[in-house]
Amino acid sequence: MRDAAETKRRLLAAATEEFAERGIAGARVDRIAAAAECNKAMIYSYFGSKDQLFDAVFGESVGRFVIDVPLDADDLPGYAGKLFDRYEERPDALRLAVWHRLERPEGKWVTEIVLANEIRLHDLKRAQDEGRLSKHYSPMELLVLIQSVSTAWTTTNSELGVRTTIPRDQRRALVVDAVRRLIAED
């Protein structure tokens, strides 16, 4: 059983790299198996299919993300800074999310994402209802804007990105400041 758990861990790690780099369609089970140093039959044994392997990888990534970066409705600028940090430190997490959106635009929803979003929206609404947060934007609008601001530097087009000489700590400070201004009362 211990060997099975280790093999599964290696497969998930190799698949995370492969899917983050190439997406679902471009990923190859042969490369994943080789990187994990196991037989590709193990992928089908443990996960059933390449699509199900992607679901396992993405679900694990989202689950870790939700635990590591919980929304703090009383410190949304700080939350945006933590989102920025996560995307800078783990670009694979953002790439997996982008591939999911690109290759499954109306497809299978990941339960972890749906639940995380419901919790975040509930926390934002509660903060608004309790007067701790402006109602200028709906919880949905606010969450989308914060997520967009926090990923702005990691998703900017490469033609602009190569001209960016702003240090990481300054980019992070800009994200935090933008969200602080976004939620400021008029």
Side-chain angles (χ1 to χ4, degrees):
M1 192 67 143
R2 188 173 204 194
D3 291 336
E6 175 59 20
T7 300
K8 194 172 182 179
R9 185 201 62 73
R10 287 194 326 265
L11 282 168
L12 287 169
T16 297
E17 287 186 34
E18 179 76 6
F19 287 126
E21 186 175 328
R22 295 181 172 89
I24 302 168
R28 297 291 174 257
V29 293
D30 290 348
R31 284 192 297 255
I32 294 168
E37 300 177 344
C38 71
N39 185 313
K40 75 177 185 177
M42 299 307 292
I43 292 171
Y44 299 106
S45 173
Y46 289 125
F47 301 101
S49 69
K50 183 171 76 167
D51 271 7
Q52 289 173 312
L53 176 57
F54 178 81
D55 292 343
V57 164
F58 191 53
E60 183 179 274
S61 176
V62 170
R64 271 194 322 265
F65 192 96
V66 169
I67 290 168
D68 293 348
V69 190
L71 181 131
D72 181 353
D74 292 318
D75 184 15
L76 292 176
Y79 172 66
K82 290 175 186 173
L83 288 174
F84 172 89
D85 292 339
R86 179 60 170 225
Y87 294 132
E88 289 277 320
E89 294 160 8
R90 296 287 314 269
D92 59 306
L94 183 57
R95 281 194 230 113
L96 287 170
V98 170
W99 282 117
H100 182 266
R101 283 193 302 266
L102 287 171
E103 297 190 79
R104 292 190 174 156
E106 295 178 21
K108 187 174 185 178
W109 285 12
V110 177
T111 303
E112 293 88 348
I113 295 174
V114 173
L115 181 59
N117 286 332
E118 288 303 317
I119 291 168
R120 291 173 183 143
L121 293 170
H122 176 266
D123 289 349
L124 291 171
K125 181 163 180 12
R126 185 175 66 224
Q128 287 178 331
D129 290 346
E130 293 173 359
R132 296 181 285 126
L133 185 60
S134 169
K135 291 185 178 184
H136 182 80
Y137 297 106
S138 73
M140 176 69 74
E141 293 166 339
L142 192 54
L143 186 58
V144 167
L145 290 169
I146 291 169
Q147 288 177 346
S148 297
V149 168
S150 69
T151 63
W153 292 103
T154 53
T155 59
T156 192
N157 66 63
S158 57
E159 293 81 5
L160 178 60
V162 296
R163 297 180 57 124
T164 302
T165 58
I166 302 170
R168 181 189 190 281
D169 61 334
Q170 190 175 347
R171 292 191 320 266
R172 186 186 195 280
L174 287 166
V175 166
V176 170
D177 183 60
V179 172
R180 183 177 300 111
R181 292 172 186 266
L182 181 70
I183 63 171
E185 292 289 336
D186 293 332

